[in-house]
Amino acid sequence: MDENSSALDIFGGDEAIKQTIMEHANEILDTMLDFKELMFYYTSAIREIRTKLEILDTEFELKYQRNPISSIQTRLKSRFSIIEKLQRKGWEISSESIEAHLNDIAGIRVICSYVDDIYSIAEALIRQNDIELIEKKDYISQPKPNGYRSLHLIVSVPVYFAESTRRVKAEIQIRTIAMDFWASLEHQIKYKKQISNPQNIADQLKKCADIITCTDLLMQSIRQQIDDEQPEKTELDKIYEKLKKFDVPIGE
């Protein structure tokens, strides 16, 4: 940099704009640091809830020799998406506004094998003393008009830090493998541009959702039939089952 150049040149543009940026530099930095700290809280909440879900899955495996959870996916809402939603809703762009108005900054998606697993996992989670259920939306018993199905929970969970405890909100979506398959493809198709016949596409997607619903229920029925037909265990079988539990991994 030339010795006669102003340090403001690093910003480029009009001098008045540069001066404004420098005058508000501390405010901008404070906002950025507040946002970074807030995202740390939400990331920590995701870890807390994920751990709880993994413990429940292992417990089910120990008790019933099967895992109700197929996979767990997590995501932190992007800064752009946060700002866009605040602006669209007419809310102030600040850390306080984010915490007050947005429930889906921390997102956890739980993929289950069967429909009844969804409710079993949800009930076991919200029964825990430190989990507060804020809102529940059951799009399985009452699907959206387009066919979307999933169980949505808004919860708050305490996150323990070195010198404080903070309750943080998160959104949990619980669905079957088939529901997730449909939702993923529907999401991709929805954002395609220049669809010549959108209503026809919507009708076909709804038909696919109905077929998937029937498949989910049929698969659960088949599993239940198999479970019901299992012969009563002998004492030797019970001992053998207990011995097999020693091979179930309980964490590293």
Side-chain angles (χ1 to χ4, degrees):
M1 181 183 293
D2 188 274
E3 61 182 1
N4 295 319
S5 298
S6 167
L8 295 174
D9 288 339
I10 60 174
F11 294 104
D14 185 81
E15 289 295 324
I17 295 174
K18 298 175 188 175
Q19 189 61 41
T20 300
I21 290 174
M22 292 304 294
E23 287 173 358
H24 295 280
N26 285 334
E27 181 182 341
I28 292 168
L29 287 171
D30 286 344
T31 300
M32 290 174 66
L33 289 172
D34 285 347
F35 182 84
K36 187 172 183 179
E37 185 175 11
L38 188 60
M39 292 304 101
F40 169 62
Y41 296 150
Y42 284 113
T43 301
S44 300
I46 287 173
R47 290 174 181 168
E48 291 277 355
I49 295 171
R50 181 174 191 133
T51 298
K52 288 176 175 293
L53 291 165
E54 289 172 345
I55 290 171
L56 287 173
D57 189 50
T58 302
E59 181 188 8
F60 271 70
E61 185 176 10
L62 282 166
K63 285 185 175 180
Y64 310 114
Q65 286 75 58
R66 72 180 190 86
N67 296 93
I69 297 177
S70 175
S71 64
I72 300 172
Q73 304 162 9
T74 63
R75 68 104 181 93
L76 195 65
K77 204 173 187 70
S78 71
R79 184 179 304 181
F80 175 83
S81 296
I82 292 170
I83 293 173
E84 188 276 332
K85 189 168 184 178
L86 290 173
Q87 288 181 325
R88 178 161 41 87
K89 297 287 188 179
W91 294 322
E92 179 187 0
I93 299 176
S94 66
S95 295
E96 293 78 10
S97 181
I98 290 171
E99 289 191 273
H101 297 298
L102 302 186
N103 297 327
D104 60 346
I105 304 297
I108 301 98
R109 183 173 298 156
V110 185
I111 312 302
C112 294
S113 300
Y114 301 98
V115 175
D116 57 357
D117 289 335
I118 293 174
Y119 294 104
S120 295
I121 288 295
E123 289 168 8
L125 181 67
I126 62 180
R127 270 201 307 267
Q128 298 187 10
N129 293 335
D130 58 349
I131 290 282
E132 178 188 351
L133 178 64
I134 298 171
E135 185 179 12
K136 177 181 178 181
K137 292 183 179 179
D138 190 345
Y139 295 118
I140 298 173
S141 62
Q142 295 181 316
K144 290 186 177 182
N146 67 348
Y148 174 85
R149 296 165 66 239
S150 184
L151 181 66
H152 289 200
L153 306 174
I154 303 297
V155 304
S156 76
V157 62
V159 182
Y160 301 93
F161 301 103
E163 299 178 355
S164 65
T165 302
R166 190 183 186 102
R167 294 202 73 91
V168 184
K169 291 184 288 187
E171 180 185 56
I172 306 170
Q173 299 177 359
I174 314 178
R175 58 181 68 155
T176 64
I177 298 168
M179 293 175 197
D180 189 58
F181 166 75
W182 183 91
S184 297
L185 293 184
E186 190 271 346
H187 180 78
Q188 292 177 30
I189 292 169
K190 186 167 62 176
Y191 289 99
K192 294 287 185 183
K193 304 299 181 183
Q194 299 178 342
I195 298 176
S196 59
N197 192 343
Q199 187 56 52
N200 181 51
I201 296 297
D203 291 343
Q204 291 184 67
L205 283 168
K206 177 62 168 63
K207 185 178 179 180
C208 288
D210 293 340
I211 293 170
I212 283 174
T213 298
C214 292
T215 303
D216 260 339
L217 295 175
L218 181 58
M219 292 297 289
Q220 181 170 288
S221 176
I222 292 169
R223 191 210 73 203
Q224 191 61 54
Q225 290 176 50
I226 293 171
D227 289 346
D228 292 343
E229 290 177 7
Q230 297 305 303
E232 187 175 347
K233 289 183 174 64
T234 65
E235 287 302 316
L236 185 61
D237 290 332
K238 292 176 182 178
I239 293 171
Y240 179 67
E241 289 296 331
K242 289 180 180 179
L243 288 171
K244 285 203 302 182
K245 290 182 180 180
F246 284 104
D247 293 329
V248 175
I250 57 173
E252 298 178 359

